[in-house]
Amino acid sequence: MVNRKIVGAHYGLMDWLVQRITGVVMVVFTLIVALGLIQGAGASYESWRGFMSAGLMRFVSFLFIVSLCWHAWVGVRDIWMDYIQPAGIKLTLHVLTLLALIGYAGWAVQIIWRL
Amino acid sequence: MTTARTLQFKIYRYDPDTDQKPTMQDISVEIDATDRKLLDALVKLKAKDDAIAFRRSCREGVCGSDALNINGRNGLACLTDIASFPEGKPIVLRPLPGLPVIRDLIVDMTQFFKQYHSIKPYLINNDPPPERERLQSPEEREELNGLYECILCACCSTSCPSFWWNPDKFVGPAGLLAAYRFIADTRDQATNERLDNLEDPYRLFRCHTIMNCVDVCPKGLNPTKAIGKIKDMMVQRSI
């Protein structure tokens, strides 16, 4: 373990690429919501509910939730990789982050689909 | 033109063999009109207190040995103008951050060079050498500009937080700039192996593009751009 072999682990590119792609998805979703608000979707509870429960909006919201959680996974894992050195603590934090994000995603999807 | 004046310094002093912890020494030195660069002042300081330890060699920004942390910013003493220092404020000199201190302003560069060597900084070409030389077109040669000029002074890598936290795993901006110098070289035949060697969450992807390296490079090079090109090449070969 001390003399780490200096060779690539053959992964890392996908995470980096996913972070960029999910970032773009989130920007697009933010623009759609902003556009909806400008057109008055936030005027009342009923209009907001109508906006968010439209078929296409449910699809887009689902994509947003998945992107947000995936993006957060890469970003938070980056923080653990940067600052946490002991492998045991790092692995524990990775698992806790992953479990929390999966839980949040499930919860969010449940809310969106209940509309 | 710099005129005769007195320069105040706060210099990091530490001898791990005798000192419990580092101290900052206040010291001043008289300079005259012929002293133009910080290194000139350091040489005069050394004449005044010969226990102060720092590295120097060519005194013209080519050898890269006098890299220091000058007023909180990494740079070469031999390229830093004395005239650029504000009057009346002491000049704070520390060793390059993030590397073990051997003594005073001298750091142990072993980890830095270990990472540099890990990217195989030499041309790999298994064809028999031609009669004269391996040729490149002017356009192919153009791609190497801004890459080959690195003097390995370590100003960039030691200003990079990712290198501070993971110096044993992250190659660092200097090493990655050198890696792209050989990836971009049309005479090199190991492009795929080089990309394989770097495709790693630590070795390459600890770079979060904060560009401290570009900010401090005394040669005006751009490691961030080179790192971006390495990532581009990885994406292109994987899709």
Side-chain angles (χ1 to χ4, degrees), chain A residues 3-17 20 74 77-85 90 94, chain B residues 114-115 118 162 165-166 168-169 196-203 205-206 208-209 228 231-232 234-235 237-239:
Chain A
N3 293 316
R4 184 180 188 271
K5 232 173 121 186
I6 302 288
V7 68
H10 301 292
Y11 83 98
L13 175 68
M14 197 45 85
D15 294 317
W16 177 79
L17 204 54
R20 264 115 206 106
V74 177
R77 196 187 61 157
D78 265 345
I79 296 172
W80 304 143
M81 286 173 104
D82 279 344
Y83 300 113
I84 308 294
Q85 298 292 342
K90 192 152 51 177
H94 282 194
Chain B
K114 234 177 177 173
Q115 290 296 357
S118 79
S162 286
W165 314 143
N166 291 292
D168 55 334
K169 303 192 196 96
D196 283 345
N197 175 279
L198 292 175
E199 190 168 354
D200 182 289
Y202 280 102
R203 285 179 62 68
F205 290 100
R206 274 318 81 203
H208 304 312
T209 334
K231 288 171 179 169
D232 279 354
M234 282 185 182
V235 172
R237 75 166 185 168
S238 71
I239 55 170

Side-chain angles (χ1 to χ4, degrees), chain B residues 149-213:
Chain B
E149 299 95 327
C150 174
I151 56 172
L152 297 173
C153 63
C155 278
C156 60
S157 290
T158 57
S159 70
C160 174
S162 286
F163 190 74
W164 296 340
W165 314 143
N166 291 292
D168 55 334
K169 303 192 196 96
F170 177 47
V171 175
L176 291 170
L177 183 86
Y180 184 66
R181 182 250 170 273
F182 289 99
I183 289 169
D185 195 319
T186 49
R187 298 163 295 184
D188 190 270
Q189 294 176 332
T191 313
N192 251 321
E193 291 84 339
R194 291 182 189 281
L195 291 178
D196 283 345
N197 175 279
L198 292 175
E199 190 168 354
D200 182 289
Y202 280 102
R203 285 179 62 68
L204 174 68
F205 290 100
R206 274 318 81 203
C207 169
H208 304 312
T209 334
I210 65 162
M211 299 179 80
N212 273 15
C213 51

Side-chain angles (χ1 to χ4, degrees), chain B residues 9-193:
Chain B
F9 285 94
K10 268 189 186 300
I11 298 188
Y12 177 101
R13 301 298 304 269
Y14 183 50
D15 182 349
D17 289 338
T18 56
D19 300 342
Q20 287 286 323
K21 57 180 187 180
T23 51
M24 295 302 286
Q25 180 191 10
D26 290 304
I27 188 166
S28 63
V29 68
E30 301 286 325
I31 54 153
D32 54 49
T34 58
D35 296 318
R36 308 291 298 278
K37 304 290 182 184
L38 174 59
L39 183 62
D40 298 326
L42 275 175
V43 170
K44 287 209 162 156
L45 265 180
K46 178 92 175 161
K48 198 171 169 186
D49 178 352
D50 65 0
I52 296 175
F54 59 91
R55 286 196 184 104
R56 49 116 353 141
S57 184
C58 79
R59 66 99 183 96
E60 56 188 12
V62 175
C63 72
S65 53
D66 64 351
L68 302 171
N69 187 271
I70 307 155
N71 284 339
R73 188 186 155 88
N74 290 353
L76 297 181
C78 59
L79 293 186
T80 304
D81 281 321
I82 288 174
S84 70
F85 296 120
E87 299 262 359
K89 268 192 171 174
I91 301 157
V92 183
L93 299 182
R94 293 173 186 272
L96 290 176
L99 293 177
V101 174
I102 294 174
R103 190 169 147 183
D104 298 344
L105 302 173
I106 298 176
V107 290
D108 180 357
M109 308 262 282
T110 308
Q111 196 65 66
F112 173 79
F113 283 115
K114 234 177 177 173
Q115 290 296 357
Y116 175 66
H117 292 141
S118 79
I119 58 104
K120 299 190 175 159
Y122 41 83
L123 197 78
I124 298 175
N125 187 320
N126 294 321
D127 288 345
E131 194 87 351
R132 290 183 66 188
E133 62 208 73
R134 300 186 199 274
L135 296 175
Q136 283 192 298
S137 71
E139 294 76 32
E140 289 168 346
R141 173 61 187 76
E142 174 75 26
E143 187 64 25
L144 306 183
N145 288 346
L147 303 171
Y148 77 92
E149 299 95 327
C150 174
I151 56 172
L152 297 173
C153 63
C155 278
C156 60
S157 290
T158 57
S159 70
C160 174
S162 286
F163 190 74
W164 296 340
W165 314 143
N166 291 292
D168 55 334
K169 303 192 196 96
F170 177 47
V171 175
L176 291 170
L177 183 86
Y180 184 66
R181 182 250 170 273
F182 289 99
I183 289 169
D185 195 319
T186 49
R187 298 163 295 184
D188 190 270
Q189 294 176 332
T191 313
N192 251 321
E193 291 84 339

